[in-house]
Amino acid sequence: ASDVYKRQVRLFQFQLEHYEKVEGKALSLDGKANQLSQMLRSHLSMALQGFVVIPLFAGYDHRQDTGRLFQFDATGGRYEERDHAATGSGSVHASTVVKLRYRAGMTEDEAVDVVVEALYQAADEDSATGGPDPIRGIYPVVASITADGFQRLADDRVADRTTALLESLAGGRAD
C-alpha cells in the first residue's frame, strides 16, 4: 500500500512541475491544494472500492507570509485548518494530544515532542495506527515547513526526542 501512496505523491509532484513548465511560473499554494483536490476527485471510483488516500497538505504561502494547512476528504473536498490536523483511524486520539499540548510560539523541539506523543498515544489506542518502536528502530518522519522550505529532521534527533518522551511517560506510570 505504501508504494501506491508514493506513486500518488510522485504523480502530484509531476503535475505541479508540468504546470510550472507550461505556464512559466510557480503555482500558488491555493492552486496546489486545488490540484490535489482534483486529483482525489478523479480517483473517487477507487475510493468507493476501499482504496482511499486522505492526505494532509501543508506549505508556506509566500503571498500571505504564513504557513497553511489543508485537510481533504475522499471526494476531494478541501478544508483549511488553523493550527493542526490529523487523518486516519487514530486521528481522534492524535488530535486530542495536539489540542491539549499545542500553543503558539513553541520551539521546534517542543513541537516535535507534541507530534511524537500524538503518534504514540494514537498507536496506543488504535491498533491500525503505527507509532514509534524503539526496539525495532522505527520512528516517525518529522519535518518542518518554513519560508525557507521543507526540512526533514534527522532520524537521530527524532529518535532522541522519542526516547525522552517514552522515558517521561514511563516515569509517570504507576506499577
Side-chain angles (χ1 to χ4, degrees):
S2 69
D3 287 340
V4 171
Y5 302 139
K6 288 177 185 177
R7 284 194 298 268
Q8 292 297 319
V9 169
R10 283 195 301 268
L11 177 60
F12 181 58
Q13 290 171 327
F14 177 76
Q15 286 177 322
L16 297 179
E17 289 170 11
H18 177 72
Y19 174 88
E20 290 177 8
K21 286 179 183 174
V22 169
E23 295 297 322
K25 62 181 179 176
L27 194 58
S28 69
L29 195 65
D30 271 318
K32 291 175 182 178
N34 285 337
Q35 283 286 328
L36 185 53
S37 181
Q38 290 173 4
M39 184 179 177
L40 290 168
R41 199 171 305 116
S42 73
H43 292 98
L44 184 58
S45 63
M46 289 177 53
L48 294 173
Q49 296 175 42
F51 301 107
V52 182
V53 174
I54 307 292
L56 295 174
F57 180 66
Y60 192 86
D61 190 332
H62 290 281
R63 294 177 182 175
Q64 295 184 16
D65 198 29
T66 189
R68 295 177 65 195
L69 176 62
F70 299 92
Q71 193 164 357
F72 298 84
D73 62 30
T75 66
R78 180 187 98 160
Y79 312 94
E80 187 164 0
E81 303 297 338
R82 291 248 180 243
D83 298 319
H84 68 276
T87 188
S89 61
S91 63
V92 170
H93 308 292
S95 290
T96 299
V97 171
V98 175
K99 284 179 187 177
L100 292 172
R101 299 219 27 229
Y102 172 80
R103 68 182 193 294
M106 296 175 83
T107 67
E108 190 172 83
D109 278 343
E110 290 170 331
V112 170
D113 290 347
V114 171
V115 168
V116 171
E117 183 177 354
L119 286 171
Y120 174 81
Q121 297 295 352
D124 197 42
E125 296 295 327
D126 177 62
S127 63
T129 299
D133 186 348
I135 293 170
R136 293 181 181 88
I138 299 171
Y139 300 97
V141 172
V142 179
S144 67
I145 300 171
T146 67
D148 296 326
F150 175 94
Q151 180 66 42
R152 180 177 170 166
L153 277 63
D155 292 337
D156 291 345
R157 182 170 171 209
V158 176
D160 290 344
R161 303 304 308 167
T162 302
T163 300
L165 168 74
L166 296 177
E167 287 172 357
S168 73
L169 291 175
R173 291 190 178 171
D175 292 328

